[in-house]
Coordinates of all heavy atoms in Angstrom, one line a residue:
D1 N 144.3 215.0 243.7 CA 143.1 215.8 243.3 C 143.5 216.9 242.3 O 144.5 217.6 242.5 CB 142.5 216.4 244.5 CG 141.2 217.2 244.2 OD1 140.4 216.7 243.4 OD2 141.1 218.3 244.7
R2 N 142.8 217.0 241.2 CA 143.1 218.0 240.1 C 143.2 219.4 240.6 O 143.8 220.3 239.9 CB 142.1 217.7 239.0 CG 142.5 218.5 237.7 CD 141.6 218.0 236.6 NE 142.0 218.8 235.4 CZ 141.6 218.5 234.2 NH1 140.8 217.5 234.0 NH2 141.9 219.2 233.2
L3 N 142.5 219.8 241.6 CA 142.4 221.2 242.1 C 143.4 221.5 243.2 O 143.5 222.7 243.4 CB 140.9 221.5 242.5 CG 139.8 221.2 241.5 CD1 138.5 221.5 242.2 CD2 140.0 221.9 240.2
A4 N 144.0 220.5 243.8 CA 144.8 220.8 245.0 C 146.0 221.7 244.6 O 146.7 221.6 243.6 CB 145.4 219.5 245.5
G5 N 146.1 222.8 245.4 CA 147.2 223.7 245.3 C 147.1 224.7 244.1 O 148.0 225.4 243.8
K6 N 145.9 224.7 243.4 CA 145.8 225.5 242.2 C 144.8 226.7 242.5 O 144.0 226.7 243.3 CB 145.2 224.7 241.1 CG 146.2 223.6 240.6 CD 145.7 223.0 239.3 CE 146.7 221.9 238.8 NZ 146.2 221.3 237.6
V7 N 145.0 227.7 241.6 CA 144.0 228.8 241.6 C 142.9 228.2 240.7 O 143.1 227.7 239.7 CB 144.6 230.0 240.9 CG1 143.5 231.1 240.7 CG2 145.8 230.6 241.7
V8 N 141.7 228.3 241.3 CA 140.5 227.7 240.6 C 139.5 228.8 240.2 O 139.2 229.7 240.9 CB 139.8 226.7 241.6 CG1 138.5 226.1 240.9 CG2 140.7 225.6 242.0
G9 N 139.2 228.7 238.9 CA 138.1 229.6 238.4 C 136.9 228.8 238.1 O 137.0 227.7 237.5
L10 N 135.8 229.3 238.5 CA 134.5 228.6 238.2 C 133.9 229.3 236.9 O 133.8 230.5 236.9 CB 133.5 228.7 239.3 CG 134.0 228.1 240.6 CD1 132.9 228.4 241.7 CD2 134.2 226.6 240.5
Y11 N 133.6 228.5 235.9 CA 133.0 229.0 234.7 C 131.6 228.5 234.6 O 131.3 227.4 234.2 CB 133.9 228.5 233.5 CG 133.4 229.0 232.2 CD1 133.0 230.3 232.0 CD2 133.4 228.1 231.1 CE1 132.5 230.7 230.7 CE2 132.9 228.6 229.8 CZ 132.5 229.9 229.7 OH 132.1 230.3 228.4
F12 N 130.7 229.5 234.9 CA 129.2 229.2 234.8 C 128.8 229.5 233.3 O 129.0 230.6 232.8 CB 128.5 230.1 235.7 CG 128.7 229.8 237.2 CD1 129.7 230.4 237.9 CD2 127.8 229.0 237.9 CE1 129.9 230.2 239.2 CE2 128.0 228.7 239.2 CZ 129.1 229.3 239.9
S13 N 128.3 228.5 232.7 CA 128.0 228.6 231.3 C 127.0 227.6 230.9 O 126.6 226.7 231.6 CB 129.3 228.5 230.4 OG 129.1 228.8 229.1
A14 N 126.5 227.6 229.6 CA 125.6 226.7 229.1 C 125.6 226.6 227.6 O 125.9 227.7 226.9 CB 124.1 227.0 229.5
H15 N 125.4 225.5 227.0 CA 125.5 225.3 225.5 C 124.4 226.2 224.8 O 124.6 226.6 223.7 CB 125.4 223.9 225.1 CG 124.0 223.4 224.9 ND1 123.1 223.0 225.9 CD2 123.3 223.2 223.8 CE1 122.0 222.7 225.5 NE2 122.0 222.8 224.1
W16 N 123.3 226.5 225.5 CA 122.2 227.3 224.8 C 122.4 228.8 224.9 O 121.6 229.5 224.4 CB 120.9 226.9 225.4 CG 120.9 226.9 226.9 CD1 121.0 225.8 227.8 CD2 120.8 228.0 227.8 NE1 121.0 226.2 229.1 CE2 120.8 227.6 229.1 CE3 120.6 229.4 227.6 CZ2 120.8 228.4 230.2 CZ3 120.5 230.3 228.7 CH2 120.6 229.7 230.0
C17 N 123.5 229.2 225.5 CA 123.8 230.6 225.7 C 124.8 231.2 224.6 O 126.0 230.9 224.7 CB 124.4 230.8 227.1 SG 125.1 232.5 227.4
P18 N 124.3 231.9 223.6 CA 125.1 232.4 222.6 C 126.4 233.2 223.0 O 127.5 233.0 222.5 CB 124.2 233.2 221.7 CG 122.9 232.6 221.9 CD 122.8 232.2 223.4
P19 N 126.2 234.2 224.0 CA 127.4 234.9 224.4 C 128.4 233.9 225.1 O 129.7 234.1 224.9 CB 126.9 235.9 225.4 CG 125.5 236.1 225.1 CD 125.0 234.8 224.6
C20 N 127.9 232.9 225.8 CA 128.8 232.0 226.4 C 129.6 231.2 225.3 O 130.8 231.0 225.5 CB 128.1 231.0 227.3 SG 127.1 231.7 228.6
R21 N 128.9 230.8 224.3 CA 129.5 230.0 223.3 C 130.6 230.8 222.5 O 131.5 230.2 222.0 CB 128.5 229.4 222.3 CG 127.7 228.3 223.1 CD 126.9 227.5 222.2 NE 127.6 226.6 221.3 CZ 127.7 225.3 221.4 NH1 127.1 224.7 222.4 NH2 128.4 224.6 220.5
Q22 N 130.4 232.1 222.4 CA 131.4 233.0 221.8 C 132.6 233.1 222.7 O 133.7 233.2 222.2 CB 130.8 234.3 221.5 CG 129.8 234.3 220.3 CD 129.3 235.7 220.0 OE1 129.1 236.5 220.9 NE2 129.0 235.9 218.7
F23 N 132.4 233.2 224.0 CA 133.4 233.4 225.0 C 134.3 232.2 225.2 O 135.5 232.3 225.4 CB 132.9 233.9 226.3 CG 133.9 234.2 227.4 CD1 134.8 235.2 227.3 CD2 134.0 233.3 228.5 CE1 135.8 235.4 228.2 CE2 134.9 233.5 229.5 CZ 135.8 234.6 229.3
T24 N 133.7 231.0 225.2 CA 134.4 229.8 225.5 C 135.7 229.6 224.8 O 136.7 229.2 225.3 CB 133.4 228.6 225.4 OG1 132.4 228.7 226.4 CG2 134.1 227.3 225.8
P25 N 135.7 229.7 223.4 CA 137.0 229.5 222.7 C 138.1 230.5 223.1 O 139.2 230.1 223.2 CB 136.6 229.8 221.2 CG 135.1 229.5 221.2 CD 134.6 230.0 222.5
M26 N 137.7 231.7 223.5 CA 138.7 232.7 224.0 C 139.2 232.3 225.3 O 140.5 232.3 225.5 CB 138.1 234.1 224.0 CG 137.7 234.7 222.7 SD 137.0 236.3 222.8 CE 135.3 236.0 223.2
L27 N 138.4 231.8 226.2 CA 138.8 231.4 227.5 C 139.7 230.1 227.4 O 140.7 230.0 228.0 CB 137.6 231.1 228.4 CG 137.9 230.6 229.8 CD1 138.8 231.7 230.6 CD2 136.6 230.3 230.6
S28 N 139.3 229.2 226.4 CA 140.1 228.0 226.2 C 141.5 228.3 225.7 O 142.5 227.8 226.2 CB 139.4 227.2 225.1 OG 140.1 226.0 224.9
R29 N 141.6 229.3 224.8 CA 143.0 229.7 224.3 C 143.8 230.3 225.5 O 145.0 230.0 225.6 CB 142.9 230.7 223.2 CG 142.4 230.0 221.9 CD 142.6 230.9 220.7 NE 141.7 232.1 220.8 CZ 140.4 232.1 220.4 NH1 139.9 231.0 219.9 NH2 139.7 233.2 220.5
L30 N 143.2 231.1 226.3 CA 143.9 231.7 227.4 C 144.3 230.6 228.4 O 145.4 230.6 228.9 CB 143.0 232.8 228.1 CG 143.6 233.4 229.4 CD1 144.9 234.2 229.0 CD2 142.6 234.3 230.1
Y31 N 143.4 229.7 228.7 CA 143.7 228.6 229.7 C 144.9 227.8 229.2 O 145.8 227.5 229.9 CB 142.4 227.8 229.8 CG 142.6 226.5 230.6 CD1 142.6 226.5 232.0 CD2 142.8 225.3 230.0 CE1 142.8 225.3 232.7 CE2 143.0 224.1 230.7 CZ 143.0 224.1 232.0 OH 143.2 223.0 232.7
Q32 N 144.8 227.4 227.9 CA 145.9 226.6 227.3 C 147.2 227.3 227.3 O 148.3 226.7 227.6 CB 145.5 226.1 225.9 CG 144.4 225.1 226.0 CD 143.8 224.7 224.6 OE1 143.8 225.5 223.7 NE2 143.4 223.5 224.5
S33 N 147.2 228.6 227.0 CA 148.4 229.4 227.1 C 149.0 229.5 228.5 O 150.2 229.3 228.7 CB 148.1 230.8 226.5 OG 149.2 231.7 226.7
L34 N 148.1 229.8 229.4 CA 148.6 229.9 230.8 C 149.1 228.6 231.4 O 150.2 228.6 232.1 CB 147.5 230.5 231.7 CG 147.1 231.9 231.4 CD1 145.8 232.3 232.2 CD2 148.3 232.9 231.8
T35 N 148.4 227.5 231.2 CA 148.8 226.2 231.7 C 150.1 225.8 231.0 O 151.0 225.2 231.6 CB 147.7 225.2 231.6 OG1 147.2 225.0 230.3 CG2 146.6 225.5 232.6
A36 N 150.2 226.0 229.7 CA 151.5 225.7 229.0 C 152.7 226.5 229.5 O 153.8 226.0 229.5 CB 151.3 225.9 227.5
A37 N 152.4 227.7 230.0 CA 153.5 228.5 230.6 C 153.7 228.1 232.1 O 154.5 228.7 232.7 CB 153.1 230.0 230.5
G38 N 153.1 227.1 232.5 CA 153.3 226.6 233.9 C 152.5 227.2 235.0 O 152.8 227.0 236.2
K39 N 151.5 228.0 234.6 CA 150.7 228.6 235.6 C 149.8 227.6 236.3 O 149.3 226.6 235.7 CB 149.8 229.7 235.0 CG 150.5 230.8 234.3 CD 151.4 231.6 235.3 CE 152.1 232.7 234.6 NZ 153.1 233.4 235.4
N40 N 149.7 227.7 237.6 CA 149.0 226.8 238.5 C 147.5 227.1 238.5 O 147.0 227.6 239.5 CB 149.6 226.8 239.9 CG 149.5 225.5 240.6 OD1 149.2 224.5 240.0 ND2 149.7 225.5 241.9
L41 N 146.8 226.8 237.4 CA 145.4 227.2 237.2 C 144.5 226.1 236.8 O 145.0 225.2 236.1 CB 145.4 228.3 236.1 CG 144.0 228.7 235.5 CD1 143.2 229.5 236.6 CD2 144.2 229.5 234.2
E42 N 143.3 226.0 237.3 CA 142.3 225.1 236.8 C 141.0 225.8 236.7 O 140.7 226.7 237.6 CB 142.2 223.9 237.8 CG 141.3 222.8 237.2 CD 141.8 222.3 235.8 OE1 143.0 221.8 235.8 OE2 141.1 222.5 234.9
I43 N 140.3 225.5 235.7 CA 138.9 226.0 235.5 C 137.9 224.9 235.7 O 138.2 223.8 235.2 CB 138.7 226.7 234.1 CG1 139.6 227.9 234.1 CG2 137.3 227.1 233.9 CD1 139.7 228.6 232.7
V44 N 136.8 225.1 236.4 CA 135.8 224.1 236.5 C 134.5 224.7 235.9 O 134.0 225.7 236.2 CB 135.5 223.9 238.0 CG1 134.4 222.8 238.2 CG2 136.8 223.4 238.7
F45 N 134.1 223.9 234.9 CA 132.8 224.3 234.2 C 131.7 223.9 235.1 O 131.5 222.8 235.5 CB 132.8 223.5 232.8 CG 131.5 223.5 232.1 CD1 130.8 224.7 231.9 CD2 131.0 222.4 231.5 CE1 129.6 224.8 231.2 CE2 129.8 222.4 230.8 CZ 129.1 223.6 230.6
V46 N 130.8 224.9 235.4 CA 129.6 224.7 236.1 C 128.5 224.9 235.2 O 128.2 226.1 234.8 CB 129.5 225.6 237.4 CG1 128.3 225.4 238.2 CG2 130.8 225.5 238.2
S47 N 127.8 223.9 234.8 CA 126.9 223.9 233.7 C 125.5 224.3 234.1 O 124.9 223.8 235.1 CB 126.8 222.5 233.0 OG 125.8 222.6 232.0
S48 N 124.9 225.3 233.3 CA 123.5 225.6 233.5 C 122.7 225.0 232.4 O 121.5 225.4 232.2 CB 123.4 227.2 233.4 OG 124.0 227.8 234.5
D49 N 123.2 223.9 231.8 CA 122.4 223.2 230.8 C 121.3 222.5 231.4 O 121.3 222.1 232.6 CB 123.3 222.2 230.1 CG 124.3 222.9 229.1 OD1 123.8 223.7 228.3 OD2 125.5 222.7 229.2
R50 N 120.2 222.3 230.7 CA 119.0 221.7 231.2 C 119.0 220.2 230.9 O 118.1 219.5 231.5 CB 117.8 222.4 230.5 CG 117.7 223.9 230.8 CD 116.6 224.6 230.1 NE 116.7 226.0 230.4 CZ 116.8 226.9 229.4 NH1 117.0 226.6 228.2 NH2 116.9 228.2 229.8
E51 N 119.9 219.7 230.1 CA 119.9 218.3 229.8 C 121.4 217.8 229.6 O 122.2 218.6 229.3 CB 119.1 218.0 228.5 CG 119.9 218.4 227.4 CD 119.2 218.9 226.2 OE1 118.0 219.2 226.2 OE2 120.0 218.9 225.2
K52 N 121.6 216.6 229.9 CA 122.9 216.0 229.8 C 123.5 216.0 228.4 O 124.7 216.3 228.3 CB 123.0 214.6 230.4 CG 124.4 214.1 230.5 CD 124.5 212.9 231.4 CE 125.9 212.3 231.6 NZ 126.9 212.6 230.7
G53 N 122.7 215.9 227.4 CA 123.2 215.9 226.1 C 123.8 217.2 225.7 O 124.9 217.3 225.1
G54 N 123.2 218.3 226.1 CA 123.8 219.6 225.8 C 125.1 219.8 226.6 O 126.0 220.4 226.1
F55 N 125.1 219.4 227.9 CA 126.3 219.4 228.7 C 127.4 218.7 228.0 O 128.5 219.2 227.8 CB 126.0 218.9 230.1 CG 127.2 218.6 230.9 CD1 127.8 219.6 231.6 CD2 127.8 217.3 230.9 CE1 129.0 219.4 232.4 CE2 129.0 217.1 231.6 CZ 129.6 218.1 232.4
D56 N 127.1 217.4 227.6 CA 128.2 216.6 227.0 C 128.8 217.2 225.7 O 130.0 217.2 225.6 CB 127.6 215.2 226.7 CG 127.3 214.4 227.9 OD1 127.9 214.7 229.0 OD2 126.6 213.4 227.8
E57 N 127.9 217.8 224.9 CA 128.4 218.4 223.6 C 129.2 219.6 223.9 O 130.3 219.7 223.4 CB 127.2 218.8 222.8 CG 127.6 219.6 221.5 CD 126.5 220.4 221.0 OE1 125.3 220.1 221.2 OE2 126.9 221.4 220.3
Y58 N 128.8 220.4 224.8 CA 129.5 221.7 225.1 C 130.8 221.4 225.9 O 131.9 221.9 225.5 CB 128.6 222.6 225.9 CG 129.0 224.0 226.1 CD1 129.7 224.7 225.1 CD2 128.7 224.7 227.2 CE1 130.1 226.0 225.2 CE2 129.0 226.1 227.4 CZ 129.7 226.7 226.4 OH 130.1 228.0 226.5
F59 N 130.7 220.6 226.9 CA 131.9 220.2 227.7 C 133.0 219.6 226.8 O 134.2 219.7 227.1 CB 131.5 219.4 228.9 CG 132.7 219.0 229.7 CD1 133.6 220.0 230.2 CD2 132.9 217.7 230.1 CE1 134.7 219.6 231.0 CE2 134.0 217.3 230.8 CZ 134.9 218.3 231.3
G60 N 132.6 218.9 225.8 CA 133.5 218.2 224.9 C 134.4 219.2 224.2 O 135.5 218.8 223.7
S61 N 134.1 220.4 224.1 CA 134.9 221.5 223.5 C 135.9 222.2 224.5 O 136.6 223.1 224.1 CB 134.1 222.5 222.8 OG 133.4 223.3 223.8
M62 N 135.8 221.7 225.7 CA 136.6 222.4 226.8 C 137.8 221.6 227.3 O 137.7 220.4 227.4 CB 135.7 222.7 228.0 CG 134.5 223.6 227.6 SD 133.4 223.7 229.1 CE 132.0 224.6 228.3
P63 N 138.9 222.3 227.5 CA 140.1 221.6 227.9 C 140.3 221.4 229.5 O 141.2 220.9 229.9 CB 141.3 222.5 227.4 CG 140.7 223.9 227.5 CD 139.2 223.7 227.1
W64 N 139.3 221.9 230.2 CA 139.4 221.9 231.7 C 138.4 220.9 232.2 O 137.8 220.1 231.5 CB 139.1 223.2 232.2 CG 137.9 224.0 231.6 CD1 136.6 223.7 231.7 CD2 138.0 225.0 230.7 NE1 135.9 224.5 231.0 CE2 136.7 225.4 230.3 CE3 139.1 225.8 230.1 CZ2 136.4 226.4 229.4 CZ3 138.7 226.8 229.2 CH2 137.4 227.1 228.9
T65 N 138.2 220.9 233.5 CA 137.4 219.9 234.2 C 136.0 220.5 234.4 O 135.7 221.7 234.0 CB 138.0 219.5 235.6 OG1 137.3 218.4 236.1 CG2 138.0 220.6 236.6
A66 N 135.1 219.7 234.9 CA 133.7 220.2 235.1 C 133.1 219.5 236.4 O 133.5 218.4 236.8 CB 132.8 219.8 233.9
L67 N 132.2 220.3 236.9 CA 131.3 219.7 238.0 C 130.5 218.7 237.2 O 129.9 219.0 236.2 CB 130.5 220.8 238.6 CG 129.5 220.4 239.7 CD1 130.3 219.9 241.0 CD2 128.6 221.5 240.0
P68 N 130.4 217.4 237.7 CA 129.5 216.5 237.0 C 128.1 217.0 236.8 O 127.5 217.6 237.7 CB 129.6 215.2 237.9 CG 130.9 215.4 238.6 CD 131.0 216.9 238.9
F69 N 127.6 216.8 235.6 CA 126.2 217.3 235.3 C 125.2 216.7 236.3 O 124.3 217.4 236.7 CB 125.8 216.9 233.9 CG 124.4 217.4 233.5 CD1 124.2 218.7 233.2 CD2 123.3 216.5 233.6 CE1 123.0 219.2 232.9 CE2 122.1 217.0 233.3 CZ 121.9 218.3 232.9
A70 N 125.4 215.5 236.7 CA 124.4 214.9 237.7 C 124.4 215.5 239.0 O 123.4 215.4 239.8 CB 124.7 213.4 237.8
N71 N 125.4 216.3 239.4 CA 125.5 216.9 240.7 C 124.8 218.3 240.7 O 125.4 219.3 240.9 CB 126.9 217.1 241.1 CG 127.1 217.3 242.6 OD1 126.1 217.7 243.3 ND2 128.3 217.1 243.1
R72 N 123.4 218.2 240.5 CA 122.6 219.4 240.4 C 122.5 220.2 241.7 O 122.4 221.4 241.7 CB 121.2 219.1 239.9 CG 121.2 218.5 238.5 CD 121.5 219.4 237.3 NE 122.9 219.7 237.1 CZ 123.4 220.7 236.4 NH1 122.6 221.6 235.8 NH2 124.7 220.9 236.3
Q73 N 122.6 219.5 242.8 CA 122.6 220.1 244.1 C 123.8 221.0 244.3 O 123.7 222.2 244.7 CB 122.5 219.1 245.2 CG 122.5 219.7 246.6 CD 121.2 220.5 246.9 OE1 120.1 220.2 246.4 NE2 121.4 221.6 247.6
A74 N 125.0 220.5 244.0 CA 126.2 221.4 244.1 C 126.1 222.5 243.1 O 126.5 223.7 243.5 CB 127.5 220.5 243.8
K75 N 125.6 222.3 241.9 CA 125.4 223.4 241.0 C 124.5 224.5 241.5 O 124.8 225.7 241.5 CB 124.9 222.9 239.6 CG 124.9 223.9 238.5 CD 123.6 224.7 238.5 CE 123.6 225.7 237.4 NZ 122.7 226.8 237.6
A76 N 123.4 224.1 242.1 CA 122.5 225.1 242.7 C 123.1 225.8 243.9 O 122.9 227.0 244.0 CB 121.2 224.3 243.2
E77 N 123.9 225.1 244.7 CA 124.6 225.8 245.8 C 125.6 226.8 245.3 O 125.7 227.9 245.8 CB 125.2 224.8 246.7 CG 124.2 223.9 247.5 CD 124.7 222.7 248.2 OE1 126.0 222.6 248.3 OE2 123.9 221.9 248.7
L78 N 126.4 226.4 244.3 CA 127.4 227.3 243.7 C 126.7 228.6 243.1 O 127.2 229.7 243.3 CB 128.3 226.6 242.7 CG 129.3 225.7 243.3 CD1 129.9 224.8 242.2 CD2 130.4 226.4 244.1
S79 N 125.7 228.3 242.3 CA 124.9 229.4 241.7 C 124.4 230.4 242.7 O 124.5 231.6 242.6 CB 123.8 228.9 240.8 OG 124.3 228.2 239.7
K80 N 123.9 229.8 243.8 CA 123.4 230.7 244.9 C 124.5 231.5 245.5 O 124.4 232.7 245.8 CB 122.6 229.9 245.9 CG 122.0 230.7 247.0 CD 121.2 229.8 248.0 CE 120.6 230.7 249.1 NZ 119.9 229.9 250.1
A81 N 125.6 230.8 245.8 CA 126.7 231.4 246.5 C 127.3 232.6 245.7 O 127.7 233.6 246.2 CB 127.8 230.4 246.9
F82 N 127.3 232.4 244.4 CA 127.9 233.4 243.5 C 126.9 234.3 242.8 O 127.3 235.0 241.8 CB 128.9 232.7 242.5 CG 130.1 232.2 243.2 CD1 130.2 230.8 243.6 CD2 131.2 233.0 243.6 CE1 131.3 230.3 244.2 CE2 132.3 232.5 244.2 CZ 132.3 231.2 244.6
K83 N 125.6 234.1 243.2 CA 124.6 234.9 242.6 C 124.4 234.8 241.1 O 124.3 235.8 240.4 CB 124.7 236.4 243.1 CG 124.6 236.5 244.6 CD 124.8 238.0 245.0 CE 124.6 238.2 246.5 NZ 125.3 237.5 247.4
V84 N 124.5 233.6 240.6 CA 124.4 233.3 239.2 C 122.9 232.9 238.9 O 122.4 232.0 239.6 CB 125.3 232.2 238.7 CG1 125.1 231.8 237.3 CG2 126.8 232.6 239.0
T85 N 122.3 233.6 238.0 CA 120.9 233.3 237.7 C 120.7 232.7 236.4 O 121.6 232.8 235.5 CB 120.0 234.5 237.8 OG1 120.5 235.5 237.0 CG2 120.0 235.1 239.2

């Protein structure tokens, strides 16, 4: 499993969110730097996109894993647990 034994960060974001789109490249560079240095880290993209096409386009720019777009129930549960609106 890709997450086993790793520090996991959940990245709540969406392609339609301008601040998110500005932040994603910075997070990507940090992630790549840390993992290249051997840090035991994984980020999971938790999409707030409203359609799969937006998710696919945005996730295509990310070097980490994602909660599958189709798993809207898990997305709702994570959003509630972490108070993401």
Side-chain angles (χ1 to χ4, degrees):
D1 180 49
R2 190 169 177 169
L3 305 180
K6 294 187 178 182
V7 173
V8 177
L10 299 177
Y11 181 41
F12 292 88
S13 188
H15 88 281
W16 48 262
C17 171
C20 300
R21 291 193 67 109
Q22 288 181 325
F23 178 70
T24 298
M26 292 183 275
L27 182 59
S28 179
R29 286 190 297 275
L30 178 63
Y31 172 83
Q32 290 173 325
S33 173
L34 291 172
T35 56
K39 301 298 180 186
N40 209 14
L41 168 72
E42 190 57 63
I43 294 175
V44 178
F45 171 45
V46 181
S47 177
S48 292
D49 286 307
R50 298 176 185 119
E51 77 210 14
K52 187 164 183 338
F55 167 86
D56 290 341
E57 175 202 333
Y58 193 32
F59 179 53
S61 71
M62 299 176 186
W64 44 72
T65 193
L67 179 70
F69 181 79
N71 197 342
R72 298 288 79 196
Q73 180 63 36
K75 189 274 181 199
E77 291 170 8
L78 287 168
S79 292
K80 183 178 179 182
F82 291 99
K83 297 177 175 56
V84 175
T85 56

